[in-house]
Amino acid sequence: MNSVDMNLLRAIADLETVPQGAYNLRKNGALDGRHNTANIEIVTKAEPGKPGIDIRIKPGTKNESVHIPVIITETGMKDMVYNDFFIGEDCDVTIVAGCGIHNSGCETSQHDGIHTFYVGKNARVRYVEKHYGEGEGTGARILNPQTVVYLEEGAYINLETTQIKGVDSTKRYTKVVAGKDAEVVVTEKLLTHGKQYAESEMDVILDGEGATGRIVSRSVAQDQSEQIFYPRVVGNASCFGHVQCDSILMGTAKIKSIPAIDAQHPDAQLIHEAAIGRIAGDQILKLMTLGLTEKEAEEKILNGFLQ
């Protein structure tokens, strides 16, 4: 591990050293380290032409974590992975993923990841995914994640996805199918600047009676960047769904938010809210009276908004 590697791992997974518990580190398209535990097994996919891993977590596993970060430090590298998670009944686990790209060259570096989760009855999962780009090169840094989740009866998943900075283009897709009494919470935080482009599409399908789904999207678009959101909730049973999208515009950036709710059952309760605007001037003035410069006040508001 060199200083570039460690900086990327620190940004996307809060790692200073090798993580405790199960982990799988992928660097420049190849395995760079792995550890299994008694309850969590990570194996390389055997299917030809389908790179990636299978993560199997035994029923009843609690208070354990899995780290599966990906880092790219070569310009021109295009990486694609298929990761499948099989989480047994009555588990309570945290999965930390994410991708960091350091591009110092003139060619595009790209990572596309397709993650599929099969969450057993009454299991609880917290999934944390951060994306980050850096490097002084002119080559683009592109990340295109796809996340598909199937929740069995009483299962719960909290998807926390964050794009920190430095990603030139991203197309994100998330799909969750929730069974009886299952619950899904999707929290997405997105920051774009320069001429970056971000597109996020979500489908939360509440199939089972008593299922609940919440989508919370917070984003900041700076400079000439552009963002487009398509959050959708479908209620196929007696269920509850809520979509909330809040965005801050800066410079000449553009944001388009197109939430949709689709009730296919008479007892489906679905709500959506969306707000886009600039930082209120009185907020900045109030902080400036406390001794902050205008730039410092702006940064403090943005940091609080994206917490």
Side-chain angles (χ1 to χ4, degrees):
M1 284 287 170
N2 56 39
S3 60
V4 171
D5 297 343
M6 290 310 304
N7 186 61
L8 292 175
L9 289 173
R10 191 178 300 114
I12 64 173
D14 298 319
L15 290 175
E16 298 288 346
T17 60
V18 173
Q20 297 294 316
Y23 71 85
N24 187 93
L25 173 61
R26 185 178 180 89
K27 178 180 176 181
N28 294 326
L31 176 65
D32 198 59
R34 176 181 294 167
H35 182 257
N36 292 330
T37 68
N39 295 320
I40 301 173
E41 181 185 29
I42 304 172
V43 297
T44 301
K45 282 189 175 296
E47 186 176 344
K50 196 173 183 180
I53 54 178
D54 289 338
I55 301 98
R56 298 185 181 275
I57 303 177
K58 291 182 179 180
T61 300
K62 298 185 186 300
N63 301 319
E64 292 198 36
S65 64
V66 188
H67 287 75
I68 55 164
V70 173
I71 59 175
I72 293 177
T73 59
E74 293 181 5
T75 190
M77 166 67 64
K78 293 189 178 180
D79 189 28
M80 177 76 179
V81 294
Y82 300 82
N83 295 336
D84 291 344
F85 302 79
F86 303 89
I87 296 117
E89 295 184 3
D90 298 311
C91 287
D92 192 342
V93 295
T94 297
I95 299 168
V96 181
C99 179
I101 297 178
H102 181 97
N103 191 350
S104 297
C106 58
E107 298 180 65
T108 295
S109 294
Q110 179 174 335
H111 175 74
D112 296 347
I114 299 176
H115 291 180
T116 305
F117 294 78
Y118 303 91
V119 185
K121 186 176 180 180
N122 297 322
R124 296 181 62 85
V125 178
R126 178 180 177 232
Y127 177 71
V128 182
E129 181 179 82
K130 294 182 180 180
H131 288 161
Y132 170 72
E134 63 174 27
E136 63 278 9
T138 58
R141 296 170 289 270
I142 298 175
L143 290 164
N144 297 318
Q146 292 187 39
T147 305
V148 179
V149 181
Y150 300 97
L151 298 175
E152 293 187 15
E153 180 179 347
Y156 167 89
I157 193 165
N158 185 354
L159 300 172
E160 303 174 18
T161 61
T162 304
Q163 181 170 301
I164 305 168
K165 66 175 184 178
V167 179
D168 295 293
S169 175
T170 183
K171 289 190 176 181
R172 315 160 72 86
Y173 179 67
T174 303
K175 177 183 177 181
V176 184
V177 181
K180 184 178 185 297
D181 294 324
E183 181 178 0
V184 54
V185 179
V186 181
T187 304
E188 181 177 73
K189 300 172 186 177
L190 206 58
L191 172 65
T192 56
H193 56 88
K195 295 183 179 180
Q196 295 172 351
Y197 175 82
E199 182 176 318
S200 180
E201 189 174 358
M202 299 182 191
D203 286 305
V204 172
I205 302 167
L206 305 176
D207 262 353
E209 181 178 352
T212 62
R214 293 176 176 83
I215 296 173
V216 179
S217 173
R218 289 190 173 183
S219 72
V220 176
Q222 300 174 323
D223 306 319
Q224 299 88 43
S225 64
E226 183 178 354
Q227 300 178 5
I228 302 177
F229 296 92
Y230 301 96
R232 299 180 291 261
V233 175
V234 179
N236 291 328
S238 176
C239 60
F240 176 82
H242 185 207
V243 180
Q244 180 182 340
C245 301
D246 296 312
S247 301
I248 291 177
L249 278 168
M250 302 177 69
T252 58
K254 298 177 182 179
I255 297 177
K256 183 184 294 185
S257 182
I258 310 171
I261 51 178
D262 181 0
Q264 295 292 318
H265 190 280
D267 292 324
Q269 300 180 56
L270 308 177
I271 303 167
H272 79 69
E273 306 171 66
I276 300 173
R278 293 187 178 275
I279 298 174
D282 58 346
Q283 291 178 297
I284 293 177
L285 287 174
K286 183 176 181 180
L287 289 173
M288 289 177 68
T289 62
L290 300 176
L292 275 65
T293 65
E294 183 176 354
K295 184 178 180 181
E296 289 171 339
E298 203 171 69
E299 289 178 354
K300 192 170 186 66
I301 292 169
L302 294 180
N303 288 337
F305 180 75
L306 290 174
Q307 284 297 320

